[in-house]
Amino acid sequence: MRIGVLALQGAFIEHQQMLDRLGVSSFQIRNLTDLQGPMDGLILPGGESTAMGKLLKDLNLYEPIKEKIQQGLPVFGTCAGLILLSKSIDDDTTSHFGLLDVHTKRNAYGRQLGSFQVNHPFDGKVIPMTFIRAPYIDAYGKDFEVLATYQGKVIAGRQHNMLVTAFHPELTLDTTVHAYFISMMNHLVV
């Protein structure tokens, strides 16, 4: 198993460290040639979604990555990664990949000073969750499965080959969410 981690900006190294803990091979995606090797899954990390979206297009990565996800490549988006995958974003006409049938509210818990940590259930197990300028999902389509809510708002879920979290599981030592993604990858037929 080999997972590509988008490494244009944001917390990509922390995702790779988490995959190392689980014994899963990963590599960084920085340009078009990085997409030429085998890839069983993709992680879109947190960071600045606007900057990441611009870099994806400037580096000609946008279309090939979108095509791979549409063809069924398992993808895990955290925070900004969730925004990149969302079909629509509150107060923003920008749609990046627009493949996940959700409407997302950006910076929904406030700015940087509003960052916080909680222990809260994800798919039935209590895990540590780190929220940094986090979004939440305030509407979703019938194919979207909710995996976690916090204060009545959707903060994690999946739709077919796409897993998303509003929080940053890569910033804790708990491997639950990444293990869930790997299990999801093993059960998908691409």
Side-chain angles (χ1 to χ4, degrees):
M1 181 177 292
R2 190 167 182 257
I3 296 178
V5 181
L6 188 67
L8 302 180
Q9 198 253 358
F12 54 88
I13 290 173
E14 289 82 357
H15 277 290
Q16 288 191 284
Q17 290 168 342
M18 184 66 78
L19 294 173
D20 285 347
R21 280 187 212 114
L22 292 167
V24 175
S25 175
S26 67
F27 65 100
Q28 295 182 3
I29 299 172
R30 292 177 177 273
N31 56 56
L32 208 49
T33 58
D34 296 326
L35 296 177
Q36 293 175 348
M39 178 167 53
D40 302 302
L42 169 66
I43 292 179
L44 303 174
E48 289 284 342
S49 60
T50 303
M52 290 168 72
K54 181 177 183 329
L55 287 169
L56 280 165
K57 290 177 180 163
D58 290 350
L59 296 168
N60 297 316
L61 288 167
Y62 173 80
E63 284 297 336
I65 288 177
K66 183 174 182 177
E67 188 174 298
K68 286 180 182 291
I69 297 170
Q70 286 175 311
Q71 291 172 348
L73 177 72
V75 60
F76 174 23
T78 59
C79 196
L82 158 62
I83 292 170
L84 290 174
L85 289 168
S86 297
K87 185 177 276 183
S88 61
I89 305 163
D90 199 44
D91 295 330
D92 191 341
T93 56
T94 305
S95 172
H96 298 288
F97 293 122
L99 299 171
L100 188 69
D101 189 12
V102 299
H103 180 81
T104 299
K105 184 171 177 58
R106 187 195 310 257
N107 297 326
Y109 295 99
R111 307 300 293 177
Q112 194 82 20
L113 291 175
S115 301
F116 61 98
Q117 291 182 320
V118 296
N119 291 322
H120 206 68
F122 167 86
D123 194 35
K125 179 183 174 188
V126 175
I127 63 169
M129 299 177 176
T130 301
F131 293 80
I132 302 171
R133 296 174 50 210
Y136 62 65
I137 295 167
D138 59 2
Y140 54 88
K142 63 178 176 53
D143 293 331
F144 184 80
E145 176 187 358
V146 175
L147 296 173
T149 61
Y150 178 68
Q151 295 179 333
K153 306 298 183 187
V154 177
I155 55 165
R158 67 177 285 191
Q159 177 182 319
H160 308 303
N161 58 319
M162 295 176 278
L163 172 68
V164 291
T165 62
F167 55 92
H168 292 266
E170 77 281 8
L171 299 181
T172 73
L173 296 176
D174 187 281
T175 58
T176 300
V177 181
H178 288 77
Y180 181 97
F181 179 55
I182 291 162
S183 174
M184 183 181 118
M185 289 171 56
N186 287 329
H187 291 90
L188 284 171
V189 178
V190 180

